[in-house]
Amino acid sequence: IYNFYHRYKLNFVNYHKFMFLEGDYEEKINIFKNIKNSKLKKIYVCNKDLSIKLKDLLNIDTFIIVPFKNWYDEKGEYYLNLLKKELKNNNKHIILFSSGQTDHIFINKIKKYKPNNIMISIGSGFDWYCLDKKTRSQELTKEEYISYINKIIL
């Protein structure tokens, strides 16, 4: 194991980059506004409860609706194939994910299949907005959170 970590440079990113937990909130707002206003086709892999409000918030073109939990073992390939069908042309797409740890599996597989896409794991970044419940203890107050979401809408 020691040799592996010293032979290869590992690249890490802030896993919470797109969640309203910490950091530069204005930067997050600008990223989401750029996604919203992008001319690229936007695909979001998430559960139905998230899709209802996110369609208009981010101008999502297509949703791949997955169950809320415990679905990958039995249906993972099915949902992956649905996503691949949306990518059958060679155009570049923005693919967003809020489907739990499966985000990382799908991003890895799609990167190998169609590497030119922009793939972002949003995680639970929109849970409070879409589900009206706090899912992370270190989140902003609801009023602060909604004020940032309103900046995306405008």
Side-chain angles (χ1 to χ4, degrees):
I1 293 176
Y2 177 83
N3 287 335
F4 174 81
Y5 288 112
H6 286 84
R7 253 193 330 208
Y8 301 101
K9 181 178 186 250
L10 300 177
N11 294 315
F12 293 96
V13 296
N14 180 357
Y15 181 72
H16 295 131
K17 179 70 173 175
F18 298 100
M19 297 167 66
F20 290 91
L21 301 175
E22 59 198 31
D24 186 347
Y25 298 112
E26 293 302 322
E27 178 187 27
K28 295 172 197 296
I29 298 303
N30 287 333
I31 291 169
F32 286 124
K33 280 186 172 183
N34 285 326
I35 291 170
K36 177 180 183 170
N37 296 324
S38 173
K39 302 276 188 234
L40 297 176
K41 180 178 179 180
K42 292 175 281 285
I43 303 167
Y44 207 128
V45 179
C46 64
N47 64 62
K48 185 177 180 179
D49 292 344
L50 294 178
S51 69
I52 295 166
K53 288 189 174 180
L54 291 178
K55 179 165 184 53
D56 293 331
L57 180 68
L58 298 174
N59 293 330
I60 303 298
D61 299 296
T62 303
F63 284 94
I64 305 296
I65 303 296
V66 297
F68 190 70
K69 61 181 179 177
N70 301 330
W71 56 271
Y72 183 77
D73 286 342
E74 292 181 19
K75 294 285 219 166
E77 288 301 314
Y78 169 77
Y79 292 109
L80 182 62
N81 288 330
L82 289 178
L83 178 55
K84 284 181 175 180
K85 284 181 187 176
E86 293 295 326
L87 307 174
K88 58 186 163 199
N89 62 36
N90 286 324
N91 295 338
K92 191 174 191 175
H93 303 82
I94 297 174
I95 310 167
L96 307 170
F97 298 87
S98 289
S99 55
Q101 293 300 314
T102 305
D103 296 0
H104 310 290
I105 297 168
F106 275 26
I107 288 171
N108 185 46
K109 289 185 179 203
I110 295 299
K111 183 179 179 187
K112 292 175 185 174
Y113 175 69
K114 296 280 186 170
N116 294 327
N117 291 293
I118 299 167
M119 294 173 278
I120 303 171
S121 175
I122 304 297
S124 60
F126 289 111
D127 282 3
W128 211 348
Y129 174 70
C130 297
L131 306 176
D132 197 33
K133 67 179 179 182
K134 189 175 186 175
T135 57
R136 297 284 188 260
S137 61
Q138 65 271 43
E139 282 180 320
L140 304 168
T141 67
K142 185 170 185 176
E143 293 75 24
E144 291 170 320
Y145 180 83
I146 295 301
S147 75
Y148 287 117
I149 294 297
N150 285 335
K151 291 180 180 182
I152 299 171
I153 294 170
L154 301 175

